[in-house]
Amino acid sequence: MTFIEIKNLEKTYYDTSVATYVLRGIDFSIKKGEFVSIMGPSGSGKSTLLHILGFLDKQTVGTYSFDGKFINEYSDDDIAHVRNEKMGFIFQTFNLLPRMSALDNVKIPLLYSNIEDKFWNKMATEALESVGLGHRLNYDPAKLSGGERQRVAIARALVNKPSVIFADEPTGNLDSESGGQVMKIIMDLHKKGHTIILVTHESYTAEYADRVIRVNDGKISSDEKVTQKININKFKK
């Protein structure tokens, strides 16, 4: 089943009379349950593309269909609801609130949901346990390693049980061991049925996916299946 589909997508930024063309004629579709990497060098347009897919920005030209509905058919309230209920986001910089515990950071998406607050602690605890941090519930980010902070961010992305997880350079600030642990968690999420869209400039990270879409100068240069998957079993949570 086609979950995400974009056609002839373009993104242009205007500064007074100067136009900067970031994306040019992008076409692809993603099925529900796929794990897709969007790979390209810095400045290629891959992060802008992720922001459009995650309803954080809008295209200038072209169409974007998410879960059977075009983005221009969503109201602002619909967009906010979809982002909170159906999408989870993992960023390179973690984006954790420093004065809140791991548990409270993970509960943040629930503040904007329709879920009764009496369930929040249980849901956040389960999310942290799923990434191997059940023993770090009351730690604030300063007391956690970089890998642990990213796992808290993953738990936060998971707490609303989203349909799709967007990961923007999730291992960019981590050493190889911590990065491998994070990618193992993302692989496990994919095996549980989550659609994963990963943005990276690193080929060894991209190849955890089933498919790699390469972007250069705002255009797709290739869209290929990964034939040799990386062994993730050496990494522990």
Side-chain angles (χ1 to χ4, degrees):
M1 172 183 175
T2 299
F3 186 43
I4 285 172
E5 185 171 32
I6 62 175
K7 292 184 177 180
N8 192 36
L9 189 138
E10 298 183 8
K11 181 64 180 180
T12 307
Y13 292 104
Y14 295 94
D15 181 9
T16 63
S17 60
V18 178
T20 302
Y21 300 95
V22 180
L23 298 174
R24 311 174 187 221
I26 301 285
D27 292 275
F28 64 80
S29 62
I30 294 173
K31 294 180 180 177
K32 189 165 284 191
E34 268 197 282
F35 184 174
V36 177
S37 287
I38 299 173
M39 182 184 168
S42 179
S44 62
K46 62 186 185 299
S47 290
T48 298
L49 179 55
L50 183 76
H51 290 166
I52 292 171
L53 294 175
F55 286 14
L56 300 170
D57 199 353
K58 288 189 177 181
Q59 72 272 22
T60 308
V61 175
T63 62
Y64 171 27
S65 173
F66 177 84
D67 204 14
K69 187 174 179 180
F70 290 106
I71 189 172
N72 59 2
E73 297 174 335
Y74 287 93
S75 67
D76 288 344
D77 285 345
D78 290 337
I79 287 173
H81 173 77
V82 168
R83 271 203 307 253
N84 192 56
E85 301 291 334
K86 294 188 177 183
M87 299 176 175
F89 296 90
I90 306 167
F91 298 102
Q92 178 179 351
T93 52
F94 318 137
N95 293 345
L96 301 178
L97 296 180
R99 296 182 181 178
M100 296 177 67
S101 67
L103 186 69
D104 286 338
N105 266 284
V106 173
K107 286 194 289 187
I108 288 172
L110 299 173
L111 297 173
Y112 306 98
S113 73
N114 295 321
I115 299 168
E116 293 182 60
D117 57 7
K118 66 181 180 181
F119 299 114
W120 294 357
N121 274 348
K122 181 175 184 294
M123 292 175 68
T125 298
E126 289 175 350
L128 283 163
E129 288 174 346
S130 75
V131 298
L133 289 179
H135 60 303
R136 294 283 193 262
L137 301 182
N138 297 312
Y139 282 57
D140 62 48
K143 296 177 182 177
L144 301 173
S145 68
E148 288 174 330
R149 290 198 293 272
Q150 189 60 293
R151 284 149 64 187
V152 173
I154 293 172
R156 182 183 57 197
L158 290 177
V159 73
N160 270 337
K161 299 179 173 56
S163 304
V164 57
I165 294 171
F166 296 104
D168 192 356
E169 303 279 9
T171 64
N173 284 335
L174 305 177
D175 59 46
S176 59
E177 180 68 22
S178 297
Q181 292 170 354
V182 165
M183 289 311 302
K184 183 179 189 306
I185 292 169
I186 291 174
M187 287 286 289
D188 289 343
L189 295 174
H190 173 236
K191 289 177 182 178
K192 293 175 182 177
H194 290 280
T195 304
I196 309 288
I197 300 176
L198 168 74
V199 161
T200 183
H201 68 279
E202 302 164 335
S203 59
Y204 66 86
T205 302
E207 289 168 3
Y208 282 94
D210 299 323
R211 173 182 163 205
V212 178
I213 298 171
R214 287 180 169 82
V215 179
N216 281 291
D217 297 325
K219 299 178 181 180
I220 292 178
S221 59
S222 65
D223 183 348
E224 300 173 334
K225 289 187 176 181
V226 175
T227 56
Q228 187 168 355
K229 301 297 287 292
I230 293 173
N231 178 15
I232 61 167
N233 293 326
K234 62 181 178 178
F235 298 111
K236 297 179 180 180
K237 290 182 184 177

